[in-house]
Amino acid sequence: MTLRFKIDNVKNGMYKIKVRSVNEEHGNVQQEWINLNMGQDLSNSEIDYLKQIAVPHMRIYQIEVNDETLEFNTELSRNEIKSIRLIYQY
C-alpha cells in the first residue's frame, strides 16, 4: 500500500524526513521470541539478543519545498508500523 502525504502551507526550504519502521523483516521481536521457544527460560544473552532485534529500520530522505507544499510517498507493507518525522533544515 502506498501512503501519500501532501502538507500545504509549510515553509519553503530543505526538509529531512526520518522514517522508522517495524515490519516482518526489521524489528520483529515477536517472531524472534517465537523462534526462541516463546521465552521459556531465556538467558541474559538471549534477552540481550531480543533487545537488539527490536530496533526499527531507519531511512532518511531530503526533500526540497519550493511552493509551500511538501509531498512525500512511502510504501507500507503488511503488518508494518511506521513513524515519520519531518525536520526543517534551512
Side-chain angles (χ1 to χ4, degrees), residues 70-83:
L70 189 147
E71 295 187 59
F72 175 70
N73 298 334
T74 189
E75 294 295 320
L76 190 65
S77 64
R78 180 182 68 164
N79 297 325
E80 184 171 32
I81 300 168
K82 286 195 177 189
S83 166

Side-chain angles (χ1 to χ4, degrees), residues 21 29 43 48 57 59 62 64 67 76 87:
S21 58
V29 72
S43 69
D48 288 340
H57 183 257
R59 295 192 75 121
Q62 291 238 325
E64 184 173 4
D67 59 358
L76 190 65
I87 305 158

Side-chain angles (χ1 to χ4, degrees), residues 7-89:
I7 305 171
D8 294 323
N9 300 316
V10 299
K11 188 174 180 178
N12 287 336
M14 294 299 293
Y15 286 80
K16 179 192 286 188
I17 300 177
K18 199 180 285 190
V19 181
R20 289 188 173 98
S21 58
V22 174
N23 56 32
E24 292 175 352
E25 296 176 16
H26 300 98
N28 188 355
V29 72
Q30 183 176 11
Q31 184 59 49
E32 288 300 317
W33 177 69
I34 291 168
N35 294 342
L36 296 177
N37 198 25
M38 297 183 143
Q40 303 300 315
D41 298 321
L42 291 179
S43 69
N44 286 338
S45 66
E46 292 161 343
I47 292 170
D48 288 340
Y49 169 76
L50 286 176
K51 287 178 182 178
Q52 291 174 12
I53 293 295
V55 176
H57 183 257
M58 184 186 334
R59 295 192 75 121
I60 296 176
Y61 304 92
Q62 291 238 325
I63 294 182
E64 184 173 4
V65 173
N66 294 314
D67 59 358
E68 298 182 344
T69 300
L70 189 147
E71 295 187 59
F72 175 70
N73 298 334
T74 189
E75 294 295 320
L76 190 65
S77 64
R78 180 182 68 164
N79 297 325
E80 184 171 32
I81 300 168
K82 286 195 177 189
S83 166
I84 301 170
R85 184 174 178 203
L86 305 173
I87 305 158
Y88 177 75
Q89 301 284 216

